[in-house]
Amino acid sequence: MSVPFAVPATTFVLKGLIEARLKTTYGSHTPPPVTIAPPPRPAATNAVNGTTPAEAAGLILYLYQAGPNTAYRNQFEPHVTSQGARRAPSPLVLDLHYMLAATGSGLEREVLLGTGMFALHNVGILSRSLIASVLHGVAASESGSFMDGLYAEPLDTAESQPEEISISQEPVDVDQATKLWSALQSPLRPSAFYRVQAVFLVPDEAYPDPNTVDEVNIAVVPDPVRAAQWGEQ
C-alpha cells in the first residue's frame, strides 16, 4: 500500500466494522459515535455548584503504537540486484496496536465495549472483499482534499498488501493498561487491546540507476618497493 495512507486506511476499515456492528445493535436508536482520538481527559468541575458533567457515551479506537513485524522484517533483500546494488527500497511492514475503550456513564459503557470487541472478534481476518466494501464504499469529497486518497487505497489487493490483515486481542494486564492510561493523562475506563498485522507500506520510488561504464583502461604499474629490492640485488 502507499506510504501515507496504509495506516489510516487500516484504522478506517476497523472503525467501519465497529460502526456497522453498533448500528445493528442499536437498531432504531442512534448509536454512539466511534472516534479515533485519544481518550479524553477528566471533565472540568463546575466552579459554582461543584458538579462534573456526565460523560457522553462512545467508543474510542486509538492507535497507540506501531512497530515492525518480525516475520517480514528481513524478507525483502531481493530488492538487491545480483551485483549487490540496491534497486528499490524495501517495504516497511508494521504491526499496529490499538486500544478500544468505552466512555459514558452507567452500564452503557459495558454495552459499547462488548459490542466493539465482538465486532473485531467476529472478523478475525479481514478478507479482501470486506476491505473493499468498507474502504471503497465511501465517495471522495468534491473539495479535492489530500485525504481523498485514503478511500482509493489498494488495501484489498494482493500486489499492495501481500498478506491478509489479521486482528488479535493482546493480553495487556492491569499494570500495563494503567501505565498507558496514565501516559494519556486520562482516567481509566473499560478497555481492550488489539494487535493488527501485517500492514505493508510499499514505497513507489526507486533508486537511480548506477552510472554506466563508458571506457575501461588497464595499466601495469611496477611496485616501487620490489623495484628497489631488485636494484639492490
Side-chain angles (χ1 to χ4, degrees):
M1 297 180 291
S2 66
V3 172
F5 293 120
V7 174
T10 305
T11 302
F12 184 86
V13 170
L14 299 177
K15 179 174 178 285
L17 295 176
I18 297 173
E19 288 174 336
R21 174 56 62 174
L22 285 176
K23 186 176 180 181
T24 301
T25 301
Y26 275 75
S28 59
H29 301 279
T30 302
V34 180
T35 61
I36 57 174
R41 297 184 178 183
T45 303
N46 192 308
V48 177
N49 53 25
T51 60
T52 302
E55 186 175 64
L59 269 178
I60 297 169
L61 180 68
Y62 178 59
L63 173 64
Y64 69 90
Q65 184 182 359
N69 179 276
T70 55
Y72 282 94
R73 191 166 189 169
N74 299 315
Q75 291 290 323
F76 292 96
E77 284 310 309
H79 285 72
V80 178
T81 65
S82 59
Q83 287 76 32
R86 298 192 68 179
R87 57 183 173 86
S90 300
L92 175 62
V93 189
L94 298 176
D95 289 350
L96 306 180
H97 301 265
Y98 289 89
M99 168 196 287
L100 180 66
T103 61
S105 58
L107 295 177
E108 190 173 13
R109 290 193 306 182
E110 280 73 9
V111 172
L112 291 171
L113 182 63
T115 303
M117 292 178 67
F118 181 78
L120 298 180
H121 166 79
N122 196 40
V123 176
I125 296 178
L126 296 174
S127 66
R128 304 192 188 281
S129 58
L130 178 60
I131 291 173
S133 64
V134 175
L135 190 60
H136 307 313
V138 180
S141 66
E142 297 180 358
S143 61
S145 169
F146 170 76
M147 291 304 295
D148 286 345
L150 173 71
Y151 311 118
E153 184 65 22
L155 187 62
D156 57 323
T157 63
E159 293 77 14
S160 299
Q161 176 65 34
E163 181 177 311
E164 289 187 316
I165 297 174
S166 64
I167 306 169
S168 58
Q169 189 171 356
E170 288 196 292
V172 175
D173 57 28
V174 176
D175 181 61
Q176 292 174 298
T178 302
K179 290 179 180 177
L180 180 56
W181 282 100
S182 298
L184 296 171
Q185 300 182 14
S186 182
L188 182 66
R189 298 177 177 86
S191 56
F193 300 86
Y194 291 87
R195 172 182 294 186
V196 177
Q197 59 181 10
V199 179
F200 287 72
L201 280 67
V202 182
D204 56 1
E205 67 267 15
Y207 286 103
D209 295 331
N211 295 329
T212 58
V213 178
D214 297 326
E215 184 179 355
V216 178
N217 294 320
I218 301 176
V220 178
V221 179
D223 186 345
V225 176
R226 290 186 175 275
Q229 293 175 348
W230 282 102
E232 293 176 358
Q233 295 177 358

